[in-house]
Amino acid sequence: MTKHSTNDRAAWLAGPAAKCSQPPQVPPQAYRLVLLGAPGVGKGTQAQLLVARLGACHLSTGDIFRAAGNLSAGQLSLAMTAALGYMRRGELVPDATVTDLVRERVGCLRCHGGFVLDGYPRTLAQAQSLEEILKSQNLELDAVLDYELPMDEIVARLSGRRTCAKCKAVFHVTGRPPKIAGVCDQCSGHLVQREDDMPQTVKVRMETYQRNTAPLQDYYRKNGLLVSIAASGTPEEIFARTTAALER
Ligand code: AMP
């Protein structure tokens, strides 16, 4: 597998009227993947490594909401304003809102480079909607990568996670430190702690995951798509397991 440049995901983050800055090079095999795993297992980091390796587009629903959070109130629809309230409390945004957002961005699912869905689907209803949307486009998932990690390690990861305010690259104060503390290696942006990584919000997010998203493991196991990956160790070690699993 070679290394590809990544685009700015404008059509995903801002909606289909926006044009991505750099259309994907068409790789020999376009992968269509879903990443599953509790908050803090490192899905975002693995997604970044995967898209650079595969030439796929990183489709994170959480990034859509965070991008909307940077807009002024007048630029937001009522549904998006409500969605940001759910996100700030660490709760799930209603399925209907999320499905509408993904449906609007169906062009991103048809991306020639393939896609890595991160943070979606998060409920059985969303998984069923995704299946319908993909079917309507004659597309199929290749695999659902499920990252597994014990709870105490998850909490340590979340508390040290830092995100670039500008390009959204993810770092960790000990696990994946930037070259200069507080400064993004990729764009020199300011590194911040995500609002929803604060301790109280993290607790709600973990409970929400157990209740709503963990059942998706069974759903995708039954479909024969689930691939479990141990998420312990460094991002590079986890990535080596990920690529080995994909090559299998
Ligand atoms: P994430 O970065 O994926 O952890 O998402 C951050 C927050 O955005 C979540 O805690 C939810 O409030 C919201 N969110 C993101 N994706 C979804 C989704 N697929 N369904 C419902 N809420 C979501």
Side-chain angles (χ1 to χ4, degrees):
M1 292 189 210
T2 47
K3 189 165 164 51
H4 294 266
S5 52
T6 52
N7 75 10
D8 65 352
R9 305 180 294 153
W12 179 256
L13 296 179
K19 228 175 158 27
C20 294
S21 67
Q22 200 178 323
Q25 299 152 14
V26 181
Q29 181 183 357
Y31 284 89
R32 298 186 179 89
L33 305 173
V34 165
L35 305 192
L36 274 190
V41 294
K43 292 191 303 295
T45 304
Q46 292 306 308
Q48 285 174 18
L49 295 170
L50 270 168
V51 300
R53 183 69 69 87
L54 303 177
C57 201
H58 179 192
L59 307 182
S60 150
T61 37
D63 282 351
I64 300 179
F65 296 125
R66 280 182 286 277
N70 293 330
L71 301 175
S72 63
Q75 293 172 288
L76 297 174
S77 65
L78 281 179
M80 187 54 92
T81 306
L84 295 180
Y86 286 102
M87 183 176 100
R88 291 194 178 113
R89 292 190 295 275
E91 296 165 16
L92 288 187
V93 174
D95 288 335
T97 309
V98 179
T99 301
D100 283 350
L101 288 175
V102 176
R103 244 191 254 284
E104 269 175 18
R105 290 160 172 77
V106 71
C108 297
L109 298 176
R110 286 196 306 265
C111 186
H112 295 308
F115 59 75
V116 177
L117 278 168
D118 164 17
Y120 172 86
R122 247 183 169 94
T123 62
L124 277 175
Q126 290 181 18
Q128 283 154 357
S129 305
L130 173 64
E131 206 171 310
E132 277 165 30
I133 298 171
L134 290 173
K135 212 168 174 182
S136 73
Q137 305 296 314
N138 280 325
L139 295 171
E140 279 183 359
L141 292 176
D142 293 299
V144 174
L145 307 179
D146 182 29
Y147 291 94
E148 296 183 325
L149 193 69
M151 192 61 80
D152 51 343
E153 275 193 57
I154 290 181
V155 172
R157 281 201 190 171
L158 285 176
S159 58
R161 177 153 78 175
R162 299 291 180 272
T163 307
C164 174
K166 210 162 127 195
C167 75
K168 310 296 170 210
V170 183
F171 297 85
H172 191 278
V173 286
T174 53
R176 193 182 183 218
K179 292 192 187 90
I180 304 168
V183 179
C184 176
D185 288 352
Q186 293 180 19
C187 74
S188 302
H190 183 49
L191 298 186
V192 293
Q193 184 166 32
R194 277 168 36 173
E195 206 175 351
D196 55 350
D197 278 348
M198 303 295 174
Q200 255 133 325
T201 317
V202 164
K203 191 168 171 283
V204 178
R205 288 169 68 203
M206 296 313 274
E207 289 164 0
T208 306
Y209 179 80
Q210 288 305 334
R211 197 171 46 244
N212 297 289
T213 313
L216 289 185
Q217 292 168 330
D218 269 349
Y219 179 83
Y220 285 119
R221 192 176 290 117
K222 282 184 191 141
N223 284 353
L225 288 171
L226 196 79
V227 180
S228 299
I229 298 175
S232 54
T234 65
E236 290 71 25
E237 286 164 349
I238 306 166
F239 189 55
R241 281 179 220 131
T242 302
T243 52
L246 282 182
E247 275 159 15
R248 273 201 302 274

